[in-house]
């Protein structure tokens, strides 16, 4: 283990601080080994052998890091592609794909539908030519390419592509990012075993089609880490519940498969060596099935360590095995030294072999049944040691993770085994694969239920300082907590503190949470680059939703925070993706009366999606037009535009015409008049002004995310006290425009932006509307 720590931290220092720090760390480890070696003399035989093992492992690994790893990091740091990337050079590359494509989900905006349009493929440069000159580079690159023909490439295939060279993230072995626009050329054939594995994975996906949409995507994710078809809502819920490790290939997957094979062979009365050989074959086969990528190989090695600990029942044997695993993996792929997944795997495996058995013994000694003691100890130990890394990386801590993992654990093994069997038999007997998937369906449904209910617990995820400081702070808190629990008097103090938290803090957060503010009338939800506004009625839990943002998760979270369970009307101002993408979030778990749209039916794909979602939910779609008045207790909405005479955009219309067809609404609320303008641009604004419609309002939802296409005459006609700008942080459209913000400033209007203030509520007071912001949401990494 000392040698493993030297290899790991010296490589990490070389990547984060500079390659020379790797040499410094390696030499320091070698010197430490020589010191231990010198002090080994005169000791007892057992002590001397232990010290010799530590000493020689430190010397050998320190020298390997100093020579091999340092040279690798220096070559990556001096790679010529790094210099070319700063100039956005264009070149032709011959590449060897090293991992399967990872899809990049993009939220919709305007007429562009949300979905996967780009994939990222790690690759190695074989040959490169920039500006007609060869470039000597064999570095690792990340290829960003369109899905067409790139998504199906397999590791080991070689392709030729023309790409723009852009800088890679610092602190990585990746020397550059290659942005490709067209399909790959001169594609070589994949290895036979890669094609076989791809066939098995495709067979599993096809067999999973017999399930409902959510479990259909989760089965391949649980078995082989294929998350392409997992709904974003499920991903968010698994993250909040601390179950995201189930969506990737982990040591658990391999341990389950190997243990199943071991039990089967032992049942057949095979000898220990035969059973071990069979388990090893299963391990190799599963790695091939999931793809021999760094994350899978890491999981394979860590799973083997866990199996060793379980098989031998000796912590002393497992700990050196874990150290060897760390040394081999980091020396083989130095990038793992800064991989969050690698750190989580090492820590979780260490907790499995070091902490969990001791905790289980203490619980059993205290009268807890042995099975329950082990079931409690394993997730608790794993969560304790991995929580600081997760907190430092994601800036949040799941407080329901231990319970969620305890509830999920019983079904993980059968679901994984059934999924693997389905993948194996799918090419030969699709009917049998479908049967096995159906048998795995209830287990997968249970995982979704656990994740959903855990994520719905108030305060399930708490914010925590991110970065190194936040991780170290939580690690310190965990150490203090464990140390306190070891002493009887301090244990009582901890119990009192925790009881106080349960009795005081949690009820306060549940019964009287800080959000939403009492008496809210309107809330602009922080949904990123899109619009979603909620207008309260006079009945608790009942509200009208105007636009639904670009995707499911943010709007669902916003409505949950507002405790909205009934929606008499969902208004879609127009059919651009950033206004309709989250419609399913409203329709999924709430009683919805109708979906209101204008006469515009473009883009055609968006209109079909709205109708399909509404039909699936059994909700009618109604048409709104100027002159209509909609009234509920405490809320009245007038439709101001467009009227029946206006020409609606045709199929070939551009984004401006579709924006100008937006519904414009004026709402009378307890906080005053609110003008909701959709994305109307200059032409539609001029029609409103020419029609001499009363546009005055206390609160104004600025059109089109604060774009520069807003006339000063419109602002003068509205003269709002408060302006709401629904906009995404760091968007590439330049929203909101500084010109628009200056116009509002000249009117003395208070401007509130969702990218900087998060959810923004308008509250009624005696002196008029008052704004309350929740703070910007922390987006999951």
């Amino acid at each position: 283990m000392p040698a493993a720590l030297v290899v790991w931290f010296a490589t990490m220092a070389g990547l984060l601080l500079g390659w020379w720090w790797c040499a410094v760390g390696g030499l320091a480890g070698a010197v430490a080994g020589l010191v231990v070696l010198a002090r080994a003399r005169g000791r007892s035989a057992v002590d001397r052998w232990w010290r010799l093992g530590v000493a020689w492992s430190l010397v050998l690994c320190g020298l390997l890091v100093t020579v091999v790893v340092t040279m690798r990091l220096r070559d990556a740091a001096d790679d010529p592609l790094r210099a070319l990337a700063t100039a956005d050079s264009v070149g032709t590359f011959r590449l060897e794909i090293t991992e399967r494509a990872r899809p990049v989900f993009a939220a919709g905006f305007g007429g562009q539908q949300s979905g996967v349009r780009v994939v990222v493929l790690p690759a190695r440069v074989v040959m490169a030519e920039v500006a007609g000159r060869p470039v000597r580079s064999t570095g690792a690159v990340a290829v960003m390419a369109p899905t067409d023909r790139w998504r199906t490439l397999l590791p080991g295939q070689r392709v030729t592509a023309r790409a723009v060279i852009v800088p890679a993230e610092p602190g990585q072995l990746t020397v550059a990012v290659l942005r490709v626009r067209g399909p790959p050329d001169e594609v070589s054939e994949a290895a036979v075993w890669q094609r076989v594995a791809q066939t098995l994975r495709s067979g599993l996906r096809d067999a999973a089609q017999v399930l409902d949409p959510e479990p259909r995507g989760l089965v391949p994710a649980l078995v082989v880490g294929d998350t392409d078809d997992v709904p974003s809502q499920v991903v968010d819920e698994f993250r909040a519940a601390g179950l995201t490790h189930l969506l990737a290939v982990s040591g658990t997957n391999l341990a389950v498969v190997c243990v199943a094979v071991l039990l089967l062979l032992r049942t057949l009365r095979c000898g220990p060596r035969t059973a071990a050989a069979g388990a090893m074959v299963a391990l190799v086969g599963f790695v091939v099935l999931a793809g021999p990528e760094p994350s899978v190989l890491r999981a394979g090695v860590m799973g083997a360590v866990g199996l060793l600990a379980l098989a031998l029942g000796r912590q002393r044997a497992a700990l050196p095995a874990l150290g060897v695993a760390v040394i081999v993996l980091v020396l083989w792929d130095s990038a793992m030294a800064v991989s969050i997944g690698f750190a989580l795997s090492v820590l979780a495996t260490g907790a499995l072999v070091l902490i969990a058995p001791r905790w289980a013994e203490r619980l059993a000694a205290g009268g807890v049944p042995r099975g329950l003691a082990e079931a409690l100890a394993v997730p608790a130990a794993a969560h304790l040691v991995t929580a600081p890394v997760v907190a430092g990386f994601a800036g949040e801590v799941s407080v329901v993770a231990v319970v969620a993992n305890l509830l999920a654990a019983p079904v993980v093994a059968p679901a994984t085994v059934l999924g693997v069997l389905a993948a194996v038999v799918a090419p030969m007997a699709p009917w049998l694969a479908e049967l096995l998937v159906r048998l795995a369906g209830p287990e997968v449904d249970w995982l979704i239920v656990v994740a959903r209910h855990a994520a719905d617990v108030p305060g399930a995820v708490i914010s925590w300082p991110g970065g190194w400081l936040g991780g170290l702070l939580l690690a310190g808190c965990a150490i203090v907590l464990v140390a306190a629990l070891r002493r009887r008097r301090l244990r009582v103090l901890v119990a009192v503190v925790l009881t106080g938290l349960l009795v005081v803090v949690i009820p306060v957060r549940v019964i009287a949470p800080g959000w939403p503010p009492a008496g809210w009338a309107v809330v602009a939800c922080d949904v990123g680059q899109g619009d979603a506004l909620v207008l309260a009625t006079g009945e608790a839990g009942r509200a009208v939703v105007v636009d639904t943002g670009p995707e499911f998760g943010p709007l669902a979270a916003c409505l949950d925070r507002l405790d909205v369970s009934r929606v008499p009307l969902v208004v879609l101002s127009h059919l651009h993706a950033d206004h309709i993408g989250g419609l399913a979030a409203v329709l999924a778990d709430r009683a919805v009366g109708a979906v209101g749209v204008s006469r515009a039916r473009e883009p055609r794909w968006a209109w079909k999606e709205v109708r399909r979602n509404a039909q699936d939910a059994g909700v009618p779609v109604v048409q709104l037009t100027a002159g209509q008045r909609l009234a509920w207790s405490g809320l009245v909405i007038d439709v101001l535009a467009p009227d029946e005479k206006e020409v609606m955009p045709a199929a070939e219309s551009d984004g401006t015409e579709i924006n100008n067809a937006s519904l414009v609404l004026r709402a009378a609320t307890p906080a005053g008049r609110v003008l909701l303008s959709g994305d109307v641009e200059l032409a539609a604004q001029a029609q409103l002004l020419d029609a001499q419609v009363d546009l005055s309002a206390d609160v104004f939802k600025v059109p089109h995310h604060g774009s520069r296409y807003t006339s000063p005459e419109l602002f003068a006609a509205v003269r709002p006290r408060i302006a709401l700008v629904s906009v995404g942080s760091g968007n590439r459209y330049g929203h909101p425009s500084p010109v628009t913000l200056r116009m509002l400033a000249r009117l003395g209007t208070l401007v509130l932006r969702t990218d900087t203030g998060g959810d923004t509520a308008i509250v009624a007071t005696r002196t008029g509307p008052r704004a309350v912001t929740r703070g910007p949401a922390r987006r999951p990494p």
Side-chain angles (χ1 to χ4, degrees):
M1 284 306 296
L5 294 177
V6 167
V7 172
W8 189 1
F9 290 121
T11 306
M12 183 189 299
L15 286 168
L16 298 178
L17 305 176
W19 61 265
W20 54 88
W21 283 103
C22 183
V24 172
L27 288 173
V31 170
L34 293 174
V35 172
V36 174
L37 186 62
R39 294 184 177 182
R41 299 175 183 177
R43 302 281 180 171
S44 64
V46 175
D47 191 26
R48 185 168 62 252
W49 279 110
W50 181 84
R51 288 177 176 270
L52 287 174
V54 172
W56 283 113
S57 63
L58 280 171
V59 171
L60 178 59
C61 290
L63 293 177
L64 285 173
V65 168
T66 303
V67 178
V68 178
V69 179
T70 300
M71 293 294 291
R72 184 185 300 159
L73 299 190
R74 191 191 68 174
D75 290 343
D78 296 339
D79 193 284
L81 289 183
R82 289 190 184 272
L84 293 170
T86 59
D88 287 343
S89 303
V90 179
T92 302
F93 298 87
R94 184 67 176 168
L95 305 168
E96 180 179 327
I97 306 301
T98 56
E99 297 182 34
R100 296 206 312 272
R102 295 195 292 265
V104 178
F105 180 85
F109 185 78
Q112 196 169 41
Q113 192 172 7
S114 62
V116 176
R117 296 186 289 272
V118 175
V119 293
V120 176
L121 298 96
R124 181 180 63 84
V125 177
V126 178
M127 291 188 298
E129 185 179 277
V130 178
R133 297 181 179 179
V135 177
R136 300 186 63 180
S137 172
T138 57
V141 295
V143 181
M144 293 187 64
T147 56
D148 181 29
R149 292 178 56 192
W150 285 95
R151 193 170 187 172
T152 57
L153 292 178
L154 296 173
Q157 287 187 280
R158 293 192 173 190
V159 300
T160 301
R162 188 165 178 80
V164 178
I165 313 169
V166 296
E169 289 289 333
Q172 303 287 337
L173 275 181
T174 303
V175 299
V177 175
L178 305 182
R179 289 184 176 171
V180 181
R181 295 193 175 216
D185 296 323
E186 302 176 25
V187 180
S188 67
E189 194 173 16
V192 174
W193 60 273
Q194 286 279 13
R195 297 200 301 271
V196 170
Q198 180 66 12
T199 301
L200 296 179
R201 291 190 294 266
S202 299
L204 177 61
R205 283 196 299 270
D206 294 340
Q209 298 303 309
V210 299
L211 301 177
D212 292 334
E214 288 184 340
R216 176 192 310 161
L218 192 57
V219 168
L222 183 67
V223 177
V224 295
D226 182 358
T227 58
D228 289 6
D229 297 326
V230 181
S232 59
Q233 179 190 9
V234 174
V235 174
D236 292 339
E237 290 167 346
F238 270 61
R239 177 183 57 82
L243 297 173
T244 48
H245 60 92
L246 298 179
L247 302 180
V249 177
S250 65
T252 302
N253 300 73
L254 289 107
V256 164
V257 173
C258 292
V259 168
V261 173
L262 280 171
L263 292 176
L264 176 62
L265 294 177
R266 294 299 288 171
T267 302
L268 297 175
R269 297 185 177 181
C270 296
R273 294 184 178 180
T274 303
M280 183 57 66
V281 171
L283 179 67
V284 174
F286 188 87
V287 169
V288 172
L289 173 63
E293 301 170 1
S295 60
V296 179
L297 293 175
R298 177 193 72 223
V301 174
M302 295 304 165
V305 172
L307 280 175
L308 180 64
L310 292 174
L312 298 178
R314 292 166 52 196
Q315 301 172 22
R316 293 182 179 179
L319 191 59
L322 178 60
V324 171
V326 172
I327 292 169
V328 171
L329 287 170
V330 176
L331 290 178
W332 175 70
D333 183 5
S334 302
M336 286 194 183
V338 292
S339 167
I340 299 296
F342 177 74
L344 294 176
S345 292
V346 173
L347 292 172
T349 306
L352 173 67
V353 300
L354 290 179
I355 302 176
R358 297 180 181 180
W359 286 7
E361 289 292 339
R362 292 193 177 188
L363 289 173
V368 179
R370 168 67 62 176
L372 180 59
E374 293 178 350
L376 287 170
V378 169
H383 184 62
L384 177 74
V385 299
T386 57
V389 178
V390 175
F393 174 64
E396 60 186 26
V397 178
S398 173
V399 298
V400 297
V402 173
V403 176
N405 277 276
L406 179 64
L407 294 174
V411 302
V412 172
T416 302
V417 172
L418 290 169
V420 171
L421 292 175
V424 172
V425 304
M428 299 168 289
W431 64 270
L432 181 56
E434 292 180 359
L435 176 61
L436 291 168
V437 166
R438 288 186 185 278
L439 293 175
E443 292 90 332
V444 176
D445 288 336
W446 173 248
L447 291 176
I448 295 174
V449 168
V450 170
R452 185 152 297 160
H453 283 80
D456 287 341
V457 172
V461 178
I462 59 174
S463 297
W464 191 266
W468 288 94
L469 182 60
L472 292 174
L473 177 62
L474 186 57
C477 293
I479 293 171
V480 171
L481 177 63
V482 172
L485 291 175
R486 294 175 66 90
R487 298 179 179 274
R488 184 176 299 274
R489 294 180 180 178
L490 292 178
R491 198 179 304 162
V492 175
L493 177 62
V494 171
V496 171
V497 172
L498 292 179
T499 302
L501 290 174
L502 290 173
V503 172
V504 178
V505 177
I506 292 181
V508 166
R509 293 194 64 171
V510 176
I511 299 172
W515 187 265
W520 66 273
V522 181
V523 170
C525 296
D526 179 11
V527 293
Q529 185 66 9
D531 276 5
L533 293 100
V534 185
L535 289 80
T537 67
E539 302 177 35
R542 192 168 186 237
V544 172
V545 177
V546 179
D547 289 326
T548 62
E551 50 188 325
F552 186 104
L555 179 58
C558 181
L559 294 176
D560 288 344
R561 289 190 291 268
L562 298 175
D563 198 23
V564 172
S565 58
R566 294 172 295 157
V567 180
L569 181 65
V570 182
V571 179
L572 303 177
S573 64
H574 60 299
L575 299 181
H576 271 164
D578 51 318
H579 294 253
I580 69 163
L583 177 60
V586 189
L587 300 175
D589 302 314
R590 294 166 180 83
V592 179
V595 176
V597 298
S598 72
R599 290 190 298 117
R601 299 293 183 266
E602 298 297 331
R604 184 60 57 179
W605 67 263
W607 172 238
K608 291 180 179 178
E609 181 176 304
V610 168
R611 285 196 304 172
R612 183 180 66 252
N613 286 338
Q615 184 176 0
D616 291 345
V619 175
V621 178
V622 299
Q623 183 173 301
L624 303 179
T625 188
Q628 287 181 298
R629 169 167 285 193
L630 311 167
W632 299 270
S633 171
L635 175 65
V636 177
I637 295 179
D638 291 303
V639 183
L640 304 184
D643 58 32
E644 295 182 350
K645 299 179 181 179
E646 293 186 31
V647 178
M648 291 294 102
E652 64 277 5
S653 301
D654 61 13
T656 297
E657 293 182 25
I658 296 173
N659 286 339
N660 282 328
S662 295
L663 288 167
V664 179
L665 310 175
R666 183 181 60 215
T669 74
R673 296 175 70 172
V674 181
L675 185 64
L676 308 174
S677 57
D679 277 359
V680 291
E681 298 188 23
L682 296 174
Q685 295 167 21
Q687 291 178 356
L688 282 170
L689 295 170
D690 292 342
Q692 297 183 347
V693 177
D694 181 10
L695 300 176
S696 61
D698 301 288
V699 180
F700 184 28
K701 201 287 296 183
V702 179
H704 203 190
H705 321 292
S707 81
R708 61 190 179 92
Y709 299 111
T710 306
S711 67
E713 291 80 10
L714 179 65
F715 287 136
V718 179
R719 298 198 68 82
R721 299 173 62 176
I722 299 174
L724 300 176
V725 182
S726 187
V727 63
S729 176
N731 68 84
R732 57 192 179 93
Y733 308 100
H735 296 160
S737 167
V739 175
T740 299
L741 297 179
R742 284 196 295 270
M743 285 191 289
L744 290 167
R746 283 195 291 267
L747 292 173
T749 301
L750 172 64
V751 178
L752 297 168
R753 301 163 45 172
T754 56
D755 61 335
T756 57
D759 293 351
T760 302
I762 305 299
V763 181
T765 68
R766 294 180 180 178
T767 58
R770 180 174 64 90
V772 181
T773 59
R774 179 175 177 269
R778 187 187 296 272
R779 306 296 181 193

